[in-house]
Amino acid sequence: MRKLAGFVATFSLGMAAVVAAPAMAQDAAAATVDLSVGTKVFDSEGTELGTVTSAQGANVVVDLGEGKQVTLPANSFGQLEKGPTIGATRAQVVAAVDQAAAGNEAKLTAAIQPGADVRGVNGEAILGKVKLVAADGVVLTTPTGDVKLPRTAFFIGQAGLATSFTAEQFAAAMQQVNTAAAADDAAVAAALVAGADVRSLKGAAVLGTVKSASADAVVVTTPGGDDVSLPRSAFLMSPAGLAAAYTAEQFAAAVAQATGEPAPQADAAVAADAAAEQPAN
């Protein structure tokens, strides 16, 4: 399975229901309001609302901080002495953004289901189908292979479930991923020679040594002298060299299951591997 970093879709919200244009902010006057990128915007009470991050055509994107953005119509802004203003308080805007985000999240959860079509950012091209929804991302099946995208790369567009790639961007990214995967597969094939050490997923522990390898399976001899057959697809290259997609503890349990013997007690290698598996603070 390939991992692909996604472009995070910017959350947009039309605030017509919340932002009543101030009397000074009619269409004719709106042309005089400075809405250039970087300009600070204030609410109806004069409190800073946020900063303009984009102003294109009839829409203006304001960064509210704390990872929140809102898209407002350009003609909803008036002009105070200290800068642009809107006819709503910051609390009202944030509440509306949070409410809309909660609704969108519920719709997104309902839409991201196995078999669902995933479209490009413009909603025209179908990039793939949802294969699996996992805690750390969403796996898509595409014409060029499976790929995992972060959940933040998905949104609900007019045509349905979409990801924030154009078809061209997605194709280019998939080409890079597949090229890197092919290079990794070649490195694994070169490393799968008899006697080679096989390390754990993070490379901290040696699980055993390669005894033999075929296109489908690899036989690994453990430090205890047992031979265990693992699928060829479980092998990868870690920074420490050839590795299998198991922690030392998972591998010990798999060996015990295969041999019918009790799982060995945690030793120094397992302890080291467990420490390596812990996320950095």
Side-chain angles (χ1 to χ4, degrees), residues 154-170:
F154 295 86
F155 66 99
I156 301 298
Q158 291 183 345
L161 182 62
T163 185
S164 32
F165 290 91
T166 64
E168 293 76 14
Q169 288 170 338
F170 191 77

Side-chain angles (χ1 to χ4, degrees), residues 56-198:
Q56 298 180 351
N59 294 318
V60 178
V61 179
V62 177
D63 186 353
L64 305 176
E66 300 180 351
K68 299 177 183 180
Q69 293 185 326
V70 62
T71 299
L72 303 170
N75 64 3
S76 68
F77 291 84
Q79 184 70 42
L80 295 175
E81 184 176 345
K82 56 183 178 181
T85 185
I86 62 169
T89 66
R90 175 178 171 83
Q92 289 174 321
V93 174
V94 171
V97 169
D98 289 345
Q99 182 179 8
N104 284 349
E105 179 61 23
K107 291 179 182 178
L108 188 59
T109 298
I112 301 179
Q113 299 295 332
D117 286 337
V118 178
R119 296 179 178 273
V121 68
N122 297 322
E124 298 174 358
I126 295 177
L127 305 182
K129 289 181 178 290
V130 174
K131 180 178 181 179
L132 176 68
V133 181
D136 59 344
V138 179
V139 179
L140 301 188
T141 295
T142 79
T144 57
D146 290 353
V147 64
K148 181 181 286 185
L149 300 179
R151 183 183 169 87
T152 52
F154 295 86
F155 66 99
I156 301 298
Q158 291 183 345
L161 182 62
T163 185
S164 32
F165 290 91
T166 64
E168 293 76 14
Q169 288 170 338
F170 191 77
M174 284 297 296
Q175 183 176 9
Q176 291 180 349
V177 167
N178 289 331
T179 298
D184 187 69
D185 287 343
V188 169
L192 282 172
V193 295
D197 284 343
V198 178

Side-chain angles (χ1 to χ4, degrees), residues 3 39 44 62 85 88 116 158 195 198 236 240 249 281:
K3 288 189 177 181
T39 300
S44 59
V62 177
T85 185
Q158 291 183 345
V198 178
L236 66 151
E249 191 169 22
N281 292 326

